[in-house]
Amino acid sequence: MDLHFGDSKPTDEERAAIDALLGPPESSWEGADRSDADLRWARGGREARERRDLLLPGLHAVNDRIGWISEGALDYLCRRLTVPPAEAYGVATFYAMFSVKPRPATVLHVCTDLACAAAGASELCAGVEARLGLGSGVSVERSPCLGLCERAPAALAVKAGDPVRTAVSAPATVERAVLAASAPDSAPEEPPAALAVPQAAGAGREELVLLSRVGVVDPASLDDYRAHGGYTALRQAFAIGPAGVIREVTDAGLVGRGGAAFPTGRKWQATASQPDHPHYLVCNADESEPGTFKDRVVMEGDPYSLVEAMTIAGYAVGAHKGYLYLRGEYPRALERMEHAIGQARARGLLGDDVLGQGYAFDIEIRRGAGAYICGEETALFNSIEGYRGEPRSKPPFPVEKGLFGKPTAENNVETLVNVLPILTMGAQAYAAIGTGKSTGPKLFCVSGSVDRPGIYELPFGATLGELLDLAGVRKRLRAVLLGGAAGGFVRPDELNIPLTFEGTREAGTTLGSGVVLAFDDTVPLPRLLLRIAEFFRDESCGQCVPCRVGTVRQEEALHRIVGRTGADAAPDIALLREVGRAMKDASICGLGQTAWNAVESAIDRLGAYE
């Protein structure tokens, strides 16, 4: 697209979709018909530029209504927000769920990532593409992880319109996926979130802490949530004050559950102590790591717990506005969270005077659009602000200059909901769960070659073998991938690894966000490694050379190795090591730094290409 506005005009429907979000334009400078007053002075320029953070919602509005984003629609949105068209084009093309080229109104996203690949995603894709050929009105797109790993293989149908309609098919067959795409309103309803928690149906339910309400409370009912202990923690937070909340979280030893394991209390204290205002709270619900689906289950099964936890976190760090950045591939979680936030706001649990305590706090949902890199906190901030989701250099750190350049505390869903039991049971009782260095309960996403895939809640310190015994490994175990695509493989004789941050580190692997993907001896490991390489090549934002070039070189080398069965792979393995070291040492963010981990562990621990 050119650097200036083109001659293309939006259709009436495209204009209506944008105006429904932004309101009608006030002057011709924003796209209205020109009046005599507009020729004399401009209204809304600076004010419009200050609304750039509405660019991503605006792109969603058009894509949801039409199914793709035309040049005319993009130009009109740019005029409304005073954003250069070239920059908006760069944002629109950054996300996998958007298209700037014409396509059918219905898109069927078929997951081809690790758990689904092991469950027959290739055959599913071939069957669906054969049934939905040209002229079907459906675009079939091979997709990275949809966060439905416990029900692999999975497909998500999105039908544009007013309103947009979605249907999930998981576990998907060709017939179910075609039905979801052809008639999303007639597709079978998704199973309840509780079915993703195998422990909820067994004798271990009473031991659950974070998942205790999933399958017990009605996720739509605020009264049911309060009847099961909801908002007890927030009342306790108001009783002890912001400093008291931070002290409890610090004493409990809570660390981030997204993989970095940074102490949450220290992050909150650093944010709260910043003199610059306003402060912001951001909940990262963009769990895009292949094999991860725990945050989705919490939001679908116990949405009010996240609303309460975000309110407590906002109170502790001195924030009056919280953003929930939610994966675009989670339609049911979006629906549940929108309802929960609306009910909490209507009942005085969000808004200008939370619980009559004189504290103002509200939550706004921002939808992602298919970009794994936006799980990195600063890339997420850029995405919310209306820029490409590219990571920022640090320092300054988010606690100093984060969202909109202001002090920001960012945590994922699992980290935040851990705050509730800390305040209700007390820091000492919480810290007694787990080990001395890894305290509290942990959620593990178990999928792949197991009989009972799903979310498992165990105290830190349980072994990998104990977890897999609960899930029931099928056939002969070949390997276990810990931490997802950015993690590492372990052998079947290493199942005594303690599931703690320090235990996995000592074993030469990583706990990551809690992904545990089991693969039996029927899964072709070389193809699996190639899929991991393809994933990182697709998801690299391209900002830094080591990652932009290294992920491509890694994939090329693996293609050569897979393609020449029986030939000497030593030269390409040497190249992989060199490229992997360069990415690990020089990439700007965690994506490039970890893109080689799984391949390296498969070569060194599993002898993948011997």
Side-chain angles (χ1 to χ4, degrees):
M1 180 174 286
D2 206 346
L3 295 175
H4 55 73
F5 291 104
D7 297 327
S8 302
K9 303 296 181 185
T11 65
D12 290 342
E13 198 168 6
E14 290 169 338
R15 184 185 291 266
I18 294 170
D19 289 349
L21 174 73
L22 303 178
E26 295 185 358
S27 72
S28 64
W29 296 95
E30 289 189 35
D33 294 332
R34 177 167 291 176
S35 67
D36 291 340
D38 293 331
L39 298 177
R40 300 177 65 87
W41 58 284
R43 289 177 293 162
R46 177 177 297 177
E47 181 179 333
R49 283 193 294 274
E50 291 175 349
R51 296 193 298 171
R52 175 162 182 155
D53 66 295
L54 294 177
L55 179 59
L56 184 57
L59 294 172
H60 268 297
V62 176
N63 200 72
D64 285 351
R65 182 80 68 96
I66 311 300
W68 68 288
I69 301 163
S70 71
E71 184 176 340
L74 192 63
D75 269 8
Y76 181 63
L77 180 60
C78 289
R79 291 185 188 277
R80 295 300 317 273
L81 298 176
T82 320
V83 173
E87 292 186 21
Y89 181 80
V91 174
T93 54
F94 186 82
Y95 297 97
M97 298 187 75
F98 295 150
S99 175
V100 294
K101 296 180 180 179
R103 66 179 178 184
T106 301
V107 178
L108 181 66
H109 302 273
V110 182
C111 178
T112 58
D113 246 319
L114 306 180
C116 289
S122 296
E123 294 79 5
L124 174 64
C125 283
V128 170
E129 287 168 346
R131 288 278 296 273
L132 296 172
L134 294 176
S136 66
V138 177
S139 173
V140 180
E141 297 188 1
R142 298 184 180 225
S143 167
C145 185
L146 295 173
L148 296 162
C149 315
E150 84 281 14
R151 307 203 305 269
L156 168 66
V158 181
K159 186 174 185 178
D162 186 19
V164 62
R165 283 164 287 177
T166 62
V168 167
S169 177
T173 62
V174 172
E175 291 71 22
R176 290 173 187 164
V178 169
L179 175 61
S182 306
D185 293 334
S186 303
E189 187 175 350
E190 281 193 77
L195 289 186
V197 185
Q199 291 163 302
R205 166 172 279 286
E206 63 276 4
E207 299 177 5
L208 298 178
V209 177
L210 305 178
L211 301 175
S212 62
R213 282 184 289 260
V214 176
V216 175
V217 302
D218 176 358
S221 173
L222 177 56
D223 289 331
D224 201 8
Y225 175 71
R226 298 184 76 166
H228 287 83
Y231 282 95
T232 302
L234 180 59
R235 293 185 183 279
Q236 175 65 12
F238 283 135
I240 62 179
V245 172
I246 293 175
R247 183 173 58 252
E248 286 289 292
V249 171
T250 302
D251 292 346
L254 177 64
V255 298
R257 301 300 202 245
F262 190 85
T264 304
R266 192 192 307 175
K267 178 184 289 189
W268 288 10
Q269 180 59 54
T271 307
S273 62
Q274 294 297 319
D276 194 14
H277 286 276
H279 295 179
Y280 289 104
L281 172 74
V282 174
C283 174
N284 184 348
D286 191 55
E287 55 171 3
S288 305
E289 186 71 53
T292 311
F293 50 97
K294 56 188 173 60
D295 293 349
R296 171 182 63 81
V297 172
V298 171
M299 290 186 288
E300 290 180 353
D302 193 14
Y304 289 102
S305 67
L306 181 57
V307 177
E308 181 182 5
M310 287 185 67
T311 308
I312 294 169
Y315 176 65
V317 303
H320 299 288
K321 181 70 175 285
Y323 286 90
L324 172 60
Y325 191 90
L326 181 59
R327 279 198 77 182
E329 298 91 339
Y330 282 177
R332 185 163 71 170
L334 173 64
E335 176 189 347
R336 296 273 168 88
M337 292 308 306
E338 284 179 335
H339 178 78
I341 290 170
Q343 288 295 302
R345 191 178 293 130
R347 300 278 287 274
L349 298 169
L350 289 174
D352 295 335
D353 188 14
V354 176
L355 276 177
Q357 297 292 319
Y359 168 62
F361 183 75
D362 212 340
I363 298 171
E364 182 175 343
I365 296 177
R366 290 297 175 92
R367 291 163 58 198
Y372 171 75
I373 189 63
C374 288
E376 198 276 339
E377 57 185 358
T378 60
L380 186 156
F381 299 156
N382 277 340
S383 181
I384 292 176
E385 292 176 18
Y387 297 92
R388 289 168 63 88
E390 297 173 341
R392 304 172 185 174
S393 297
K394 304 174 190 176
F397 294 97
V399 296
E400 302 166 308
K401 290 189 179 295
L403 185 64
F404 304 118
K406 299 297 181 180
T408 304
E410 180 269 351
N411 297 106
N412 72 352
V413 173
E414 185 187 355
T415 305
L416 287 169
V417 297
N418 267 274
V419 175
L420 305 182
I422 288 173
L423 293 180
T424 54
M425 69 171 58
Q428 288 187 341
Y430 179 91
I433 303 173
T435 67
K437 293 183 178 180
S438 296
T439 63
K442 177 76 183 79
L443 301 182
F444 296 96
C445 310
V446 184
S447 59
S449 305
V450 294
D451 294 322
R452 294 174 292 280
I455 301 296
Y456 287 84
E457 179 184 320
L458 293 175
F460 274 115
T463 66
L464 177 58
E466 291 170 343
L467 175 60
L468 290 177
D469 284 343
L470 289 175
V473 178
R474 296 198 302 261
K475 301 182 181 178
R476 192 168 73 87
L477 189 64
R478 171 73 172 90
V480 180
L481 180 59
L482 290 180
F489 285 95
V490 298
R491 300 186 304 271
D493 61 353
E494 297 179 296
L495 300 187
N496 61 343
I497 294 175
L499 294 173
T500 61
F501 292 111
E502 65 276 11
T504 52
R505 191 161 46 244
E506 290 171 4
T509 184
T510 179
L511 190 62
S513 59
V515 175
V516 178
L517 272 161
F519 299 105
D520 60 33
D521 54 6
T522 65
V523 177
L525 193 58
R527 295 296 309 173
L528 202 67
L529 297 178
L530 182 55
R531 177 64 193 114
I532 291 174
E534 291 171 347
F535 172 81
F536 281 113
R537 179 213 62 202
D538 288 339
E539 297 297 340
S540 172
C541 73
Q543 181 182 194
C544 68
V545 173
C547 180
R548 182 176 71 240
V549 177
T551 53
V552 174
R553 295 293 172 263
Q554 177 173 265
E555 184 199 3
E556 290 172 346
L558 288 171
H559 265 295
R560 288 193 296 269
I561 293 173
V562 171
R564 58 169 187 248
T565 306
D568 183 16
D572 278 316
I573 290 177
L575 175 63
L576 282 170
R577 293 190 188 280
E578 183 179 352
V579 170
R581 284 193 299 269
M583 288 194 293
K584 187 174 294 187
D585 293 342
S587 295
I588 194 173
C589 80
L591 187 149
Q593 294 163 12
T594 60
W596 152 247
N597 285 2
V599 179
E600 179 184 32
S601 65
I603 294 171
D604 292 344
R605 301 179 88 122
L606 304 180
Y609 298 114
E610 292 179 356

